[in-house]
Amino acid sequence: MAARQTADRQAGWRQRKARSSQWLTGLGLGLLAAGLTLLMWWGGLFVQVRLALDDVLVVPREPSGGVVIIAIDDPSLEQYGRFSEWPRHLYADLIDRLAQGGARVVALDVLLSESSAGDDRLAEAIAAARQSPARTRTVLATVGTQRDAASTDLVGYQAAVGPVTALSAAGALVGSVNVVPDLDGLVRHVPLILRLGEDGQPSLGFGAFLSHRGVSAALLDQVVTRAPGVVTLPGGLAIPVDSVGRMRMRYFSVPGHSTFDVYSFAQVLSGGVDPAVFTDRIVLVGLMEQTALTDSYPVPGSRDGTLMAGVEIHANAVETLLQSAALRTQGRPGQGLTILGLALLGGLVFRLVSWRWFLPALGGLLLAWVSLVLFMFNLRGLVVSLFFSGLALLLAALVVGVYRVVEEVFRRQRTEILLASALGAFEQNFSLAGILNGITDDLDRILGSTGSRGWLWDGPRGELRLAQPALPRGETLPPELRPWHDLALEALNTGQIVTRQRRVAVLLLWHDTCVGVLTGQARWRLGLLRGDLLRRFGWQTAEMIVNARLYEETQRLSDFKTRMIRMASHDLKNPLTRIMGYAELLQAKVEDDGVDGLMVKSLEHIVQASEEINGIILDLLDLEHARRGLDSPEAFDLLQVLDDVIMRAENDMQRKGQAFSVEMPETLPHLTGNAAQLRQAFGNLLGNASKYTPHDGRIWLRVRDLGGRVHVEIGDTGYGIPAEEIPHLFQEFYRIKTDETRDISGTGLGLSLVKAVVEAHGGEVWAESTYGAGSTFTVELPIFHPDDRPTHAPEPGAPAG
Ligand code: ADP
């Protein structure tokens, strides 16, 4: 019971340990996957895929209607000639009309950097519009030249080309029209504020938006506050930006299909458009020619090379600002943590689930993660890199998957080695030397080398001696083996596997008892998996050695017993026979001479005691004979055997006035075996029945043919046997001393003989009894066909034949 509990406890402990080591490897592998992902992330790999995957999240939105585009389109170019030579008054006329229509802001995505005759007229128009009832503000374009790599907090240019002074002096705002594509060439961001030379300058779109809100661009530095990642306007409007002040905008249309209201420049000037459509709106003016697209760029959604006009990109930027819908890219620390967290989670999950759930778990995690990202995207405009977060999960799956496959391969290999070694031990027939030999060979195999040694712990002497290869008797350990001996001792003292560089000592432990140590040289440093294999190998080996030792001990005892019985048979029997012979001779002589009674009585006792000893010796010899198995089985009739037994016992029963009944079938198939031994066995049973039944008791013998088996039941209404004694009945010399049977003589060998004989015939015997009421002994014998009679292997230790 206690052993069972310990075993249960150990199993529980082992399970917990396995579980926790699974957690640890899961986390470790997750960390590895995270490291790989972070490396790729830092290395800026897969830019194209990463950006493209982020675009999956972006779905075009509905514009609010606050932005209008006036397109310098093909008909306008046809009408007014080469664009670069357009007279300034065209713009002046346009601004007049728009102011008349009540437009809030007019932003010209046209660079007016060279002085021209019409500059004054345009300056007037700008000033007049500003004074008009709608207070229409004009934003003019400037452009940064030569990107300034030194500028790290803002997108910077070393110089700028802006509108001629006459125009800006007229009260127009100036905004940069620089477009800054991402690494894949697509435009997703627009700078809100740029550094042009020394000055901070808003972009055209941001300038237009500021004007729309009534903020003067001249006051940009005073009213707009910049903090890392955010630009704040008066009234608390916060616009997320990246580290260089770029806003990630939303798109409201795809290239080639503008969803903004677009009017042709020429048409507006010719009066074909009701000026009222511009009331309160922000009007962006720019090139939108169909044929030779000069100011146009690829954007998300640009398929088949369709580009989006710069003015429309600015329109999208303004619209994003109007709707406060700027996107926020997850910051560097956030991204790093996300990658780490996902890889660790993946590592754990993929390590703990069974193979069957591996792919479903991967699919489930990816799906859950994409849903969460979409949710955050829509709710908070947060862009989480789908590529790297997905990669973290995928790599975790890959790393854990590979690890598990390798582990599986090792486990199979390990099982094979352990099984082969156990089988090898079995084939050694429990010979300790043979087993040790096999074990060192197996250790060689595990370590990938040769020359492993086995050391056995000699408890009584307190020394560890080399057992494989065995030292010749009386020889001391050669000096070159001393270090190995010390290593083995170290394993013994620390109670674990010890490694010194590539030298290994494996402790052989069996239930906290040290059996010995194996030493060997590994070809490579021991890995985790191999260490585990060695530990198991140590346990298994220790058990094999213990079993072999037990077996040797049993065999030694069995040999001793056989020798004892032989000694009894030959060395005791002869002198005893002589004692009995002389005693009987004396008895006859004394009776003839009529000597006194004391002499006669003494001689009688001597003869009786000698007969008792002789009885024990004969029983022992019979027992030993029966246990050797059947030597030359013959067919015989069991009914005939039982008739003989009955005939011999009937006398005793009659003398004790016991009633005896017999119930037998007419015939029985013949049995094969030794009739004389069975006669003796049944004689013992029937004799006991009479012996342990008082006068006038009842005894019966019943034979039943059960088809293939025969039952012989011998019952009595005698003294019976206490229940607790029944399991010991068939042991040698076991006698039960109850009040009723104390004085009945016997050797305690009769039932042992019954059992040995019945088992030699492939049968079984058992007893049922109620103390004080009687006993029944049943013998069951198989009826074999002579051909398929199994041969009975002799008991271990008994000489064959
Ligand atoms: P013994 O020489 O003492 O009869 P056995 O091996 O034949 O040795 O029997 C062992 C013990 O089993 C006996 O001492 C006896 O107490 C008990 N026993 C055997 N047969 C019977 C029986 N039929 N009724 C009661 N007790 C029995």
Side-chain angles (χ1 to χ4, degrees), residues 688-689 691-692 716 721 729 734-736 746-748 750-751 775 777:
N688 278 353
K691 201 159 79 167
Y692 298 107
D716 59 59
I721 304 159
L729 272 184
Y734 198 84
R735 304 206 64 220
I736 300 154
T747 60
L751 288 180
S775 318
F777 286 79

Side-chain angles (χ1 to χ4, degrees), residues 619 684-693 714-716 718-722 728-738 741 744-754 769 774-777:
D619 278 357
N684 284 355
L685 287 178
L686 204 56
N688 278 353
S690 169
K691 201 159 79 167
Y692 298 107
T693 300
I714 294 172
D716 59 59
Y719 305 122
I721 304 159
H728 310 291
L729 272 184
F730 296 93
Q731 287 171 9
E732 295 103 329
F733 300 111
Y734 198 84
R735 304 206 64 220
I736 300 154
K737 301 241 166 72
T738 58
T741 63
I744 301 175
S745 67
T747 60
L749 285 168
L751 288 180
S752 316
L753 180 84
V754 172
S769 181
S775 318
T776 308
F777 286 79

Side-chain angles (χ1 to χ4, degrees), residues 689-770:
S690 169
K691 201 159 79 167
Y692 298 107
T693 300
H695 285 263
D696 305 330
R698 202 160 55 75
I699 294 164
W700 66 90
L701 186 149
R702 193 151 78 110
V703 182
R704 283 186 297 157
D705 182 357
L706 298 178
R709 297 169 297 144
V710 54
H711 267 194
V712 181
E713 209 177 275
I714 294 172
D716 59 59
T717 56
Y719 305 122
I721 304 159
E724 68 277 9
E725 306 279 9
I726 295 183
H728 310 291
L729 272 184
F730 296 93
Q731 287 171 9
E732 295 103 329
F733 300 111
Y734 198 84
R735 304 206 64 220
I736 300 154
K737 301 241 166 72
T738 58
D739 290 343
E740 302 86 355
T741 63
R742 195 171 303 281
D743 297 328
I744 301 175
S745 67
T747 60
L749 285 168
L751 288 180
S752 316
L753 180 84
V754 172
K755 188 170 153 71
V757 169
V758 170
E759 285 178 356
H761 284 79
E764 258 185 273
V765 56
W766 63 91
E768 291 151 298
S769 181
T770 311

